[in-house]
Amino acid sequence: MSAVREYGKEQPYIPAGIFKIRLPFIHYKWEWSEFFQAILMCATCLGAIPVLTEVLGVSNDIAWSMVIINSMGYILHSLLGDPVVPGWITPSIPLTIAFLSNYIIGPERTQALIALQFEVGIIFIVFGITGIANKVIHIVPTSIKAGILLGAGVAAIYGEFKTGGRFGTYPIAVTIGVLVAFYLLFSQKFRNLRKTSKFANALGKYGMLPAVAIAIIVGPLAGELPFPNIQMGSFIKIPDLAGIMETLSPFSIGFPSAAVFLQAIPMAVMAYIIAFGDFVTSETLIREADEARPDEKVDFNANRSNLISGIRNIIQSLISPYTQLSGPLWAAVTASVSQRYKDGRDAMDSLVGGMGTFRWTSLLMVAIVPIVSLVQPVLPVALSLTLLVQGYICTRLAMDMCETEMDKGIAGVMGTVIVAKSAAWGLAVGIILHLLLSSKKTAEVEKIEELEELAS
């Protein structure tokens, strides 16, 4: 039986410095809607397998084991008080792969990834320990925050539709899946329908689950995906930790040289710049949810989120280096859980409970053989759906965030540069434009001046 929360207070926890330890069933209720959503949404986590096998040259079995170990790190966020669903540093994946392509596949390339992920972890931890992270997220101008979000959102969408993107390979499954996901998550018509239809209301509780389920059906029927071959042999996959350590760990293959650590620094900085967009998204999504539910105080602390993300990256760099890196947010699912949370306490008792339930369940699901074999064919489509939903969320938040005409202009230019060049280029352009164009006028003053111009 979980602890009872007083109206307007935080969900109960065990204090541990900056961390707030919470265990399922003890400090928050188990949310069954998030449990069922995670059963199929684990397909996105498993989508790392083909990337790991191709880029690092590991076997499918080792890659699957790496996914399970990565999922163990996810539960640290809800366990230690970060009220989000964590994920990869997704927009950095193409940049990471490009960086690794400079090294010969095998120990040399793996050592480059070790250096990169270790450095990313150090940056996260330094920003968290010094308290810089919380200050930065509030000091950074709105125009630059919006530009980061806009760039991340457009890059996610563009990556799916560009030549060679997943849409070209699975057009029917992706189209139908994303239309269902957008309708269930973002449609005002569907929200109104939920008020009058019990079926629609029940469907709306499961976030992106129906979209992935439909893709599993539509993909094979359209000839774009094979039919699932559900395996009922061994029920639980035990990760091959010994094989991972022997193949990937620096304790077995050797630590990167000083030169490799130096070469990885620019990419590590870019990865953190991209991850910073996730902190902005997290803060915005949590603030929206907090404002919609006065019965619970939700505490998002960027310093704490940085520390947890840093711990995950450093541990993985030493045991199982991961091409996707360890990021602070899975935007699509965090938004999905937040949306249901806004329906009231009867729908979801605590935001922490929804986030925690999802990640504990996804850890279990990526290791259950029948579930993994069921979703195996749909892995690329599930990854595409989550990126498209993330793109929608980031672009919407970016536009909502802009307070002035200047904010909109800088964000648009900055976001475009991020997509066309890189996160580092986009950030530099955003800072220069802000210094060149900004003033101390508030959004209210600018609005009054606009109205006066129109009146004259």
Side-chain angles (χ1 to χ4, degrees):
M1 188 70 178
S2 62
V4 177
R5 180 184 74 248
E6 294 181 29
Y7 187 92
K9 302 292 185 180
E10 276 191 75
Q11 196 68 11
Y13 61 89
I14 300 171
I18 194 173
F19 302 118
K20 298 179 176 181
I21 300 173
R22 294 187 178 98
L23 296 170
F25 304 108
I26 296 174
H27 297 104
Y28 57 82
K29 294 180 179 178
W30 191 255
E31 299 291 345
W32 288 104
S33 293
E34 276 59 49
F35 170 82
F36 288 115
Q37 185 179 175
I39 290 176
L40 291 187
M41 287 307 296
C42 73
T44 304
C45 305
L46 294 162
I49 291 176
V51 179
L52 295 168
T53 56
E54 180 180 345
V55 176
L56 297 181
V58 297
S59 67
N60 189 81
D61 185 70
I62 290 291
W64 185 2
S65 297
M66 293 169 71
V67 169
I68 297 172
I69 290 173
N70 179 63
S71 295
M72 292 177 183
Y74 290 143
I75 64 174
L76 287 177
H77 288 259
S78 60
L79 182 66
L80 298 178
D82 194 22
V84 299
V85 174
W88 306 331
I89 308 181
T90 309
S92 76
I93 295 173
L95 300 176
T96 299
I97 293 173
F99 165 72
L100 295 176
S101 66
N102 295 316
Y103 301 87
I104 299 172
I105 193 166
E108 182 180 325
R109 181 175 293 183
T110 303
Q111 287 175 342
L113 178 57
I114 290 167
L116 170 61
Q117 189 159 25
F118 186 84
E119 290 173 349
V120 170
I122 291 296
I123 296 173
F124 273 122
I125 287 179
V126 168
F127 271 61
I129 289 177
T130 59
I132 294 174
N134 233 13
K135 294 175 182 176
V136 167
I137 202 168
H138 294 107
I139 291 173
V140 173
T142 299
S143 57
I144 293 178
K145 287 183 182 179
I148 291 171
L149 285 175
L150 189 61
V154 174
I157 297 169
Y158 175 72
E160 297 308 300
F161 287 95
K162 70 178 182 181
T163 303
R166 276 171 284 265
F167 176 79
T169 307
Y170 316 100
I172 297 175
V174 170
T175 298
I176 294 177
V178 78
L179 288 177
V180 171
F182 276 28
Y183 180 72
L184 296 181
L185 292 174
F186 309 123
S187 171
Q188 186 59 52
K189 291 181 180 179
F190 182 70
R191 288 182 197 146
N192 294 334
L193 182 62
R194 289 185 64 183
K195 297 175 183 177
T196 58
S197 168
K198 291 183 178 179
F199 174 76
N201 188 49
L203 198 63
K205 293 179 180 180
Y206 298 104
M208 290 182 62
L209 173 62
V212 176
I214 286 175
I216 289 176
I217 298 170
V218 170
L221 291 177
E224 296 176 350
L225 298 169
F227 284 94
N229 179 22
I230 300 176
Q231 300 173 17
M232 301 301 294
S234 57
F235 188 74
I236 294 286
K237 162 69 175 176
I238 304 300
D240 183 5
L241 185 58
I244 290 174
M245 292 291 291
E246 182 180 350
T247 308
L248 301 165
S249 172
F251 296 106
S252 296
I253 67 171
F255 282 82
S257 66
V260 174
F261 273 109
L262 286 173
Q263 291 161 7
I265 289 175
M267 182 59 225
V269 172
M270 282 194 287
Y272 186 81
I273 290 171
I274 293 168
F276 180 80
D278 285 338
F279 291 118
V280 175
T281 307
S282 298
E283 185 198 36
T284 307
L285 287 171
I286 300 306
R287 186 179 65 249
E288 285 184 353
D290 197 32
E291 290 172 353
R293 287 279 301 274
D295 62 281
E296 179 180 18
K297 178 184 176 183
V298 181
D299 173 35
F300 173 74
N301 186 314
N303 293 331
R304 179 171 56 232
S305 188
N306 266 267
L307 284 172
I308 299 171
S309 299
I311 291 168
R312 288 168 56 210
N313 276 291
I314 288 178
I315 290 175
Q316 281 206 262
S317 71
L318 298 176
I319 297 175
S320 175
Y322 216 60
T323 51
Q324 290 74 13
L325 304 177
S326 295
L329 181 73
W330 184 354
V333 177
T334 299
S336 173
V337 176
S338 298
Q339 198 65 43
R340 197 172 79 82
Y341 174 76
K342 293 176 185 178
D343 291 338
R345 194 164 186 176
D346 290 340
M348 184 187 298
D349 180 63
S350 167
L351 184 63
V352 174
M355 304 295 185
T357 300
F358 184 92
R359 266 312 177 200
W360 278 100
T361 304
S362 64
L363 167 60
L364 179 63
M365 292 303 125
V366 296
I368 295 182
V369 175
I371 295 294
V372 173
S373 60
L374 170 66
V375 302
Q376 186 79 34
V378 82
L379 297 185
V381 174
L383 180 57
S384 183
L385 297 185
T386 196
L387 287 169
L388 291 171
V389 169
Q390 177 173 319
Y392 179 98
I393 294 163
C394 289
T395 52
R396 178 187 71 80
L397 291 176
M399 294 174 189
D400 287 346
M401 188 179 289
C402 292
E403 299 174 342
T404 67
E405 295 299 316
M406 183 199 70
D407 289 343
K408 296 174 186 175
I410 292 176
V413 173
M414 183 179 170
T416 304
V417 174
I418 288 174
V419 176
K421 297 288 288 183
S422 70
W425 271 91
L427 183 62
V429 168
I431 291 172
I432 292 170
L433 288 179
H434 177 77
L435 294 174
L436 185 66
L437 304 179
S438 67
S439 68
K440 292 185 178 180
K441 289 182 180 178
T442 64
E444 291 77 10
V445 170
E446 184 171 307
K447 194 67 178 177
I448 291 171
E449 290 181 351
E450 290 176 6
L451 292 172
E452 288 176 348
E453 288 180 7
L454 289 172
S456 61

